[in-house]
Amino acid sequence: MSLQFKLVFFTPKTHTAVILSTLFKQCPNVLGKIGQYEECAFITPGVGQFKPGPGARPLTGEPGKLEYVDEDRVEIVVNDQGDKVQLKHAISHLKAVHPYEEVAYDVYRLEDV
């Protein structure tokens, strides 16, 4: 039984295109495929905030100081064969290409109604 999920992640605006390009190349027909359309994504701009703790190695900012970053919220569909292997691979690829040491992401199961 196949399943669909929506993978939502947050990234600095400067890295959005590279992340999506890499993910679509590494996971063709799994990520961003909706019917006859490929490499589909929804991108919403916003501002993220974080304060790195001691020992953190942030991409921007420094430990102990609140940081604000222009980010994109990126939403892509994950087509899974039902065992969540494709979903787990997609998240693994996201973590490998993402510039943050702690990647903020959400996963939602999609229902066909």
Side-chain angles (χ1 to χ4, degrees):
M1 176 174 98
S2 63
L3 298 173
Q4 278 195 321
F5 297 92
K6 182 168 286 183
L7 175 60
V8 179
F9 62 91
F10 303 86
T11 181
K13 288 179 152 307
T14 54
H15 291 76
T16 303
V18 170
I19 291 172
L20 282 174
S21 176
T22 302
L23 290 176
F24 291 143
K25 284 179 187 169
Q26 292 177 339
C27 302
N29 297 317
V30 172
L31 290 178
K33 183 159 176 55
I34 302 173
Q36 298 301 313
Y37 294 85
E38 299 175 358
E39 299 188 16
C40 301
F42 190 81
I43 303 166
T44 309
V47 177
Q49 84 167 39
F50 57 89
K51 182 165 66 171
R57 295 173 289 126
L59 179 67
T60 60
E62 57 187 85
K65 293 190 177 179
L66 191 59
E67 180 75 12
Y68 297 92
V69 179
D70 289 331
E71 293 183 325
D72 284 328
R73 173 189 168 107
V74 181
E75 302 179 37
I76 53 178
V77 171
V78 181
N79 296 295
D80 192 274
Q81 295 303 311
D83 50 10
K84 299 183 184 172
V85 169
Q86 291 79 15
L87 175 62
K88 290 174 185 176
H89 281 129
I91 293 169
S92 178
H93 288 303
L94 172 63
K95 289 179 177 181
V97 71
H98 200 288
Y100 289 166
E101 64 182 325
E102 298 292 339
V103 181
Y105 67 92
D106 303 315
V107 175
Y108 302 94
R109 182 173 173 174
L110 301 179
E111 297 292 335
D112 187 20
V113 293

